[in-house]
Amino acid sequence: MSVEVLDGATILSFVEDEEAFSKFIVENFNNLDKDHDGILSYSEMLKELQGLRVFDTHFGIDVKTDPNEVSRVYSSIFVQFDHDSNGTVDLEEFKQEMREMMVAMANGLGFLPIQMVLEENSFLKKAVDRELKYYSI
């Protein structure tokens, strides 16, 4: 993990860089696709969904949450990715939903820089690394 400074423009710039964004999405998708069948099941996406820490409201302190609520939230997030409602997520569905989520996150952050702790291979870390590389040229 590392502490980085970013803003909405950092994220939007990465999403709009089709080559960099697509490369990240394909790598992430392939890492999640444990059985290498070209689609993601709910169980394959569950670990990634849990990594979103949607219930982390106490600044990194885990709080006991009703398991039924957790299940409902993760299921509803999976449904957002499963655009054709066939019970799996293909690469294009994954890419489209990740793009929409990242644009929403960028819009929420706005254009005032903030400092965040980022996981090494996370989307946001890749966006910051891309921006740093761009400005160091």
Side-chain angles (χ1 to χ4, degrees):
M1 289 195 200
S2 63
V3 178
E4 304 290 346
V5 175
L6 72 149
D7 63 9
T10 302
I11 298 169
L12 287 176
S13 176
F14 185 60
V15 169
E16 291 169 355
D17 181 340
E18 188 60 36
E19 183 179 339
F21 181 72
S22 290
K23 181 180 180 203
F24 172 79
I25 291 298
V26 168
E27 287 173 1
N28 199 311
F29 185 90
N30 288 338
N31 286 336
L32 293 173
D33 186 13
K34 298 299 182 196
D35 61 6
H36 307 290
D37 63 356
I39 54 175
L40 300 177
S41 65
Y42 176 76
S43 62
E44 287 174 317
M45 278 193 67
L46 185 58
K47 184 176 179 186
E48 185 74 6
L49 295 174
Q50 291 168 332
L52 296 174
R53 297 189 61 94
V54 294
F55 294 103
D56 191 7
T57 58
H58 298 288
F59 306 104
I61 299 170
D62 289 325
V63 176
K64 186 128 177 99
T65 307
D66 176 15
N68 291 327
E69 181 183 356
V70 172
S71 179
R72 280 192 303 275
V73 169
Y74 290 150
S75 292
S76 68
I77 293 171
F78 183 80
V79 167
Q80 287 296 116
F81 279 85
D82 184 14
H83 296 169
D84 61 8
S85 301
N86 69 351
T88 61
V89 175
D90 64 33
L91 179 59
E92 285 308 308
E93 289 172 317
F94 186 73
K95 183 177 180 181
Q96 182 180 349
E97 193 60 31
M98 287 296 293
R99 181 182 311 276
E100 290 176 19
M101 286 174 50
M102 294 303 107
V103 168
M105 183 182 292
N107 290 335
L109 282 177
F111 295 96
L112 293 175
I114 62 168
Q115 191 172 29
M116 293 179 72
V117 175
L118 303 177
E119 291 186 33
E120 200 52 44
N121 289 317
S122 69
F123 178 88
L124 294 178
K125 178 68 171 132
K126 295 284 187 183
V128 168
D129 289 348
R130 180 193 165 278
E131 184 174 68
L132 289 172
K133 182 179 173 185
Y134 176 78
Y135 285 117
S136 67
I137 293 177

